[in-house]
Structure formats: C-alpha cells, structure tokens
Amino acid sequence: MGRSGGTDAEVAAKPGKKRLGGNCKKHGMDPAWNDQTLAADHSVDGPAVDGLAWRMGEFAQQLHQERTEADVLARLAQTAVDMIPGAQEASISSMVRQAMEPQCASGPLARRADELQVRLGQGPCFYVVADDPVVHVPDVATEARWPEFIARARDVGVGSMLSIRLFVASDVLGTLNLYSTDTDAFDEDAVDVGVLVAAHAAVVLVETRESDQLRDAASSRMSSGRPRGS
C-alpha cells in the first residue's frame, strides 16, 4: 500500500524529498492510534530499507538485553543519536499523571532543553503528548510557537528539534526528543527513522516495565515472608 496522496506509482514518480511542515496535522488523537500505525504511515523507501531493517533488528535485540528501564532509556537515547539523520543529542521525557518528567538525555544540550520545557511548562514535549505525535522545528530562530521556551532554547544553542510521541503505557505518554545545533537538521528521512525507533522502543519499554513490576512484587513478597502465589 502506498502513502496517502496517491498510488505507489504516483508517489514514486514525485521527484525530490518531501518537505516537512511545522507539525504533522494529519495525525490526530484517535483512540485507535498507536505506534504501529504511525510507523506504517512513515514508511522508509528506497534501497536503504534493507540496511535499516537490519539495524532496527539489531537495535531491538540490544534493548532486550538491557535489564532495567533506566538502562533501556539510556540505550534508546544513544541509539537515536546514532541512527536518526541529523540528531546530535537525544532525550526521553514522560508525562505521568499530568506532570512532565525528564528521564534520560544523551548530552548536556538535550538535558538543558528538556529542563527548560519542564520548568516553563511549554514546548514540543507537551505538544507531542497532547496534540500531534510528531513535531518538527526546522529553525528555532523562526519558530512562533512556545515563545518563552524557544527564546531560551536558542540561547542554550538549539538550532532545530524533532519530537516524536513514545507510547509507554495507558497512563504514561513519553516523547523521544532530538536536538541539533544546526538549523534544518531533520528531513523526512529523520522522521521516518525516528518513528520506527520510537515504535520499537515502546514495545521493549512496556515489557521491561512489566518485568520490573513483577520483580518488585516478588521481592516484596519475599521480604514480608509471604509465599509466592499467596
């Protein structure tokens, strides 16, 4: 099945890369929406698809080898920088009971930008959770949304940003945030790969969180002297 906007042949015939707007308004908050749908919509075309599929498989395997959620998040942030075109630093934030919390950052730029969003209560992190699942800021200097955050992000060196919704659990929505000191650092390929990275990571994060909960429950039973299964 081709992308929306034409048949496979029509899409293939269109020259050049697609230009990204400020956000992807076609993606709403439909209850049936999930990362698999988003990944299918942002399909990766061309001869690079085989290499990307191999790297995604390797990425999923590496995530499964991590033992804790914190380790998975750290691996995700670093892998995002390695795999997503244009990304210099990456971070993960989560919305828990209406509160945004930075979870992990691959470097100081991402950490400062995430802290600014949380402190000011505005920015792509919040917009991704509440509205569009993908938010692209090609040039911080010309971005009109979130004026207070944008002004301070520019001061700390952010040139462009890309944020992607990361589904973690029914009561927790996370965001994968990508930063660059350059303007126009992220193109359509970056979105395609970023969406796939987020979709793979979400599955592993859910499994890891469930495993952590089971381990904590077992430890609690042992410490209280209650037999397993009681």
Side-chain angles (χ1 to χ4, degrees):
M1 181 180 294
R3 297 186 191 181
S4 59
T7 64
D8 288 332
E10 289 169 340
V11 171
K14 294 178 182 178
K17 288 186 178 180
K18 291 183 292 300
R19 182 176 176 274
L20 289 175
N23 56 59
C24 300
K25 291 186 177 179
K26 64 180 177 179
H27 301 311
M29 290 291 288
D30 190 301
W33 192 260
N34 55 43
D35 281 300
Q36 286 70 34
T37 307
L38 187 58
D41 185 66
H42 286 281
S43 57
V44 179
D45 301 317
V49 68
D50 290 337
L52 179 60
W54 182 86
R55 294 182 70 190
M56 282 295 170
E58 185 180 54
F59 167 54
Q61 184 179 32
Q62 290 171 345
L63 287 182
H64 275 101
Q65 292 173 350
E66 303 297 348
R67 295 184 57 83
T68 68
E69 183 176 330
D71 292 338
V72 171
L73 291 174
R75 171 76 71 171
L76 168 58
Q78 187 54 57
T79 301
V81 174
D82 295 338
M83 291 189 65
I84 299 172
Q88 294 176 348
E89 294 189 17
S91 66
I92 298 96
S93 297
S94 65
M95 178 72 81
V96 183
R97 291 183 292 276
Q98 306 306 310
M100 185 68 74
E101 300 177 359
Q103 298 295 328
C104 179
S106 68
L109 180 65
R111 186 176 300 108
R112 286 195 294 268
D114 283 4
E115 290 171 350
L116 281 173
Q117 292 186 73
V118 171
R119 186 165 73 247
L120 298 172
Q122 62 175 246
C125 283
F126 292 91
Y127 200 77
V128 162
V129 168
D131 293 284
D132 291 332
V134 178
V135 172
H136 178 222
V137 180
D139 187 351
V140 168
T142 60
E143 178 58 59
R145 295 169 292 179
W146 324 295
E148 192 172 1
F149 163 70
I150 288 297
R152 299 195 182 191
R154 187 168 58 245
D155 289 343
V156 300
V158 177
S160 54
M161 302 173 57
L162 179 64
S163 291
I164 301 169
R165 188 181 300 168
L166 181 67
F167 287 82
V168 179
S170 59
D171 62 338
V172 179
L173 285 173
T175 62
L176 171 61
N177 312 301
L178 309 165
Y179 298 95
S180 176
T181 57
D182 300 324
T183 60
D184 296 312
F186 305 106
D187 59 10
E188 183 75 3
D189 288 343
V191 176
D192 290 341
V193 178
V195 166
L196 291 174
V197 167
H200 278 70
V203 174
V204 179
L205 279 169
V206 169
E207 293 175 353
T208 304
R209 179 162 294 182
E210 291 174 348
S211 177
D212 286 349
Q213 291 171 347
L214 288 172
R215 185 163 51 247
D216 291 344
S219 177
S220 178
R221 283 195 298 269
M222 291 178 64
S223 62
S224 64
R226 293 167 55 191
R228 185 182 300 271
S230 62

